Each structure stands twice: as structure tokens, then as C-alpha cells.
Amino acid sequence: MGIAERKLKEKQEMHKRILNGARKIFLEKGYEKTSMRNIAAEINYSQGSLYFYFKDKSEIFHELHKEGFRLLLNQLKVLDKVGDPFERLKASGRVFIQFAQDNKDYYNLMFIVDEPVKDSLSEGFQIAEEAIKYMQGMVQECQQKGKFVDMDTEYFTFLIISVVHGICALFCKHRNTSFVGKTNEELMQNGYESFVALLEKS
């Protein structure tokens, strides 16, 4: 391995190390109480050196946010091979729920950890909009096939995302304990399938 390749590899490894440390701090402290100082302390690195990789904590947060959505979108796009848009739409909810179960840290950062709005909509969250448009596209395809024709596309997409997100958020924030005798997996799976049953009747 040449010097340039080694330096590039070291830079990539440090970049990943910073993100891994920051993910832990954001989840423990929340956005407001997270600082470049305590991210640096988490990975035993100097605070000043972090600025060679990220300009501030907001940029780190957005990078983590985008990583999570890239992972989610990649899993959703596996369903592109499913020809029937309604079957694809139903399967997308299952993928979404499985993603939350397998990637709770990412899910919390993507949907639950608060961050001041500032310029995030224009800089760091375009990929979130891409995920929404992907879901909306499936709804439109369903409507073209005669499903949900009386529904407004955007509002109906919002409803579906809200239902699935609600299932995932209750799981991620440990709010399922009131349902005594039911496991998280039972509640999430059967709760979603109950929603699917309503969609199939519409």
C-alpha cells in the first residue's frame, strides 16, 4: 500500500470513528447538550482535530442522519423488483419496521432526536425527502392501478408513514410495556398487519 492510499485509509477510518463516537453522544445527551468537545473526549481525540473532518456538530449530525436514510432507502429499493405496487407498498412497511428493530440507534437519530431546524431542510435532509417521495411514488402507482383513488396522494402517504413511524417510535422509546403479555415483535408485526388489513379493504 502506497503512502497516499494509507493516508486515505487512515482518514476514512478516523471519519468513521468520529461518527461512531458522535452517534453515542447524540443518543445519550441529545442534540443541544452534545458538543465537539464531548465527541472528541468520547474517542480520545483532540477537539481541534475534529475540525479537519467536520465544521461543527451540525454537520456530524447531518452525516449520521444521511447514513441512516441511505441504509433505509437501499433496503426499500430491493423491493423495486416487486411488480405489483400494492404488494410493494405493504412490504415497504415491513422493511421499515425491520429497519427500526435492527438499527434502533440510527432510527432514533433519524426520527426522534430533536435538532433545531435552522438550515437543515436545505442542506442535510434532502435524502429524507427522497425517502418520502419514494413512498409517495408507490402510492401513486397504486392509485393508477385503481387503489386509494379517492385519497389525496400526499395526505395518504403521510398517513401511512405516520402509522409505521408510530409503531417504530413506540418500540424505540420502550413504550410498548403497557401491552402486558405481548412481545415487541408481536405488537409490531401484528399491529402492522392489522393496518394492512384495513388497506386491503379500501
Side-chain angles (χ1 to χ4, degrees):
M1 182 183 293
I3 295 175
E5 289 177 308
R6 186 172 66 251
K7 287 185 175 180
L8 177 60
K9 184 178 180 181
E10 289 172 353
K11 183 176 181 181
Q12 290 172 337
E13 288 175 350
M14 180 53 67
H15 188 272
K16 184 177 180 180
R17 185 179 168 193
I18 292 169
L19 291 177
N20 288 338
R23 185 184 302 111
K24 180 180 177 182
I25 298 299
F26 278 124
L27 291 170
E28 287 179 355
K29 297 180 178 293
Y31 184 85
E32 289 294 346
K33 293 183 179 179
T34 295
S35 66
M36 295 294 271
R37 182 185 298 277
N38 50 39
I39 292 172
E42 173 64 26
I43 61 173
N44 297 313
Y45 204 56
S46 69
Q47 180 180 345
S49 298
L50 290 186
Y51 293 100
F52 287 108
Y53 297 89
F54 298 97
K55 66 180 182 180
D56 54 26
K57 71 173 183 179
S58 177
E59 186 173 37
I60 297 175
F61 185 85
H62 290 163
E63 185 60 34
L64 288 168
H65 191 269
K66 288 186 286 185
E67 273 190 357
F69 271 103
R70 286 190 201 104
L71 182 60
L72 174 59
L73 274 170
N74 287 340
Q75 293 182 13
L76 286 172
K77 287 181 178 179
V78 171
L79 301 175
D80 286 349
K81 61 186 178 183
V82 178
D84 186 326
F86 186 43
E87 292 302 318
R88 197 183 327 133
L89 182 66
K90 290 186 290 184
S92 70
R94 299 183 186 107
V95 168
F96 204 98
I97 289 169
Q98 190 63 51
F99 173 84
Q101 291 176 316
D102 295 341
N103 303 277
K104 188 184 289 187
D105 286 355
Y106 271 125
Y107 197 91
N108 276 318
L109 285 172
M110 291 159 64
F111 295 104
I112 298 174
V113 173
D114 288 332
E115 187 227 6
V117 175
K118 290 195 209 174
D119 57 356
S120 60
L121 291 177
S122 60
E123 287 188 0
F125 286 66
Q126 294 94 337
I127 195 164
E129 294 178 5
E130 182 182 344
I132 291 171
K133 288 178 180 177
Y134 183 80
M135 296 293 290
Q136 187 171 315
M138 283 189 285
V139 171
Q140 288 174 327
E141 286 188 63
C142 287
Q143 291 175 319
Q144 290 166 5
K145 296 286 186 178
K147 295 287 292 184
F148 321 127
V149 291
D150 295 328
M151 299 290 185
D152 178 272
T153 304
E154 288 190 42
Y155 291 149
F156 194 61
T157 301
F158 175 77
L159 170 64
I160 293 171
I161 292 174
S162 296
V163 169
V164 177
H165 169 61
I167 292 171
C168 296
L170 288 171
F171 163 72
C172 288
K173 300 305 289 183
H174 310 288
R175 298 294 188 267
N176 289 335
T177 54
S178 297
F179 295 89
V180 180
K182 303 293 184 183
T183 66
N184 282 321
E185 289 73 19
E186 288 173 331
L187 287 168
M188 297 173 82
Q189 178 180 342
N190 293 311
Y192 179 68
E193 293 307 325
S194 295
F195 176 63
V196 166
L198 292 175
L199 294 180
E200 289 175 335
K201 292 178 181 179
S202 62

